[in-house]
Amino acid sequence: MLILLVITVISMPLVTRAQQPTPGATKEMASDAAKNVPKTYVPGLEQFMNVILMEHNKLWFAAKARNWRLAEYQLGEIKEVMGDVQDLVPTFKNLPLADMLDAVITKEIAALEKSIEAKDYKTFVIGYDRLTQACNACHQGTENEFIVVQRPTRPAFTNQVYDKRR
């Protein structure tokens, strides 16, 4: 790779002072270069929340099957997406969304982590319901009270196995 880089640098034409572009041409070149750079896509809050909803569903069925490794993974995914929201959408409707999520992460998520580590389904159910209530409280606090989350009644994905594989 280094040899390729050196060859590329050596084969590049040298630009003398007389050949340098004029200031106006530099702006045009910068504009042309910007057109060739791919745009960065940042998902909106709804896309992040849909991923959390999906992981919330999977988390329930993983724990219900007592597949604690999968439950730990799914909870980690929820936590990761919440962290992404904190970084990319820290405020929503002039509310401190990052701080609101931090409260959920340090309280409800932390309690669920402990129940999963202890492999305690009864404590998990209590923690899961508290997480769900916290999500709904956040929706109410952001004037999205029409978005109500509940315990799932069936898996969102029927092609995922929730039972432990030996």
Side-chain angles (χ1 to χ4, degrees):
M1 190 66 111
L2 182 59
I3 295 170
L4 255 174
L5 178 62
V6 171
I7 292 170
T8 304
V9 171
I10 292 172
S11 66
M12 292 175 69
L14 294 174
V15 178
T16 65
R17 188 167 267 217
Q19 294 173 318
Q20 289 182 353
T22 61
T26 304
K27 288 181 184 177
E28 285 177 23
M29 288 172 58
S31 177
D32 288 343
K35 289 178 187 173
N36 295 325
V37 175
K39 292 182 179 181
T40 303
Y41 171 72
V42 177
L45 183 58
E46 179 184 11
Q47 284 77 33
F48 286 118
M49 290 297 133
N50 283 335
V51 172
I52 291 172
L53 186 62
M54 228 174 19
E55 304 301 349
H56 183 262
N57 180 284
K58 290 180 172 189
L59 173 62
W60 176 256
F61 289 102
K64 189 173 181 182
R66 309 307 195 270
N67 188 342
W68 298 113
R69 284 185 64 203
L70 181 57
E72 178 182 22
Y73 175 80
Q74 296 304 158
L75 187 59
E77 292 299 300
I78 290 172
K79 193 174 174 182
E80 183 179 329
V81 175
M82 285 183 171
D84 291 342
V85 172
Q86 288 178 306
D87 292 341
L88 299 170
V89 192
T91 58
F92 179 71
K93 295 184 179 179
N94 295 320
L95 294 169
L97 187 56
D99 294 339
M100 294 166 79
L101 287 172
D102 194 48
V104 173
I105 291 168
T106 58
K107 190 175 177 187
E108 284 79 14
I109 298 282
L112 273 172
E113 286 172 331
K114 289 178 184 175
S115 71
I116 290 169
E117 186 178 319
K119 299 178 180 163
D120 183 345
Y121 182 70
K122 185 178 179 181
T123 305
F124 171 85
V125 170
I126 293 166
Y128 186 89
D129 288 342
R130 287 185 180 152
L131 173 62
T132 304
Q133 291 167 359
C135 291
N136 289 327
C138 188
H139 296 160
Q140 290 173 358
T142 58
E143 299 176 358
N144 288 310
E145 66 283 345
F146 51 89
I147 300 173
V148 180
V149 182
Q150 65 181 14
R151 276 189 202 171
T153 56
R154 63 178 176 257
F157 298 95
T158 58
N159 61 336
Q160 181 168 355
V161 175
Y162 293 96
D163 294 329
K164 289 186 281 188
R165 297 290 174 150
R166 295 181 196 251

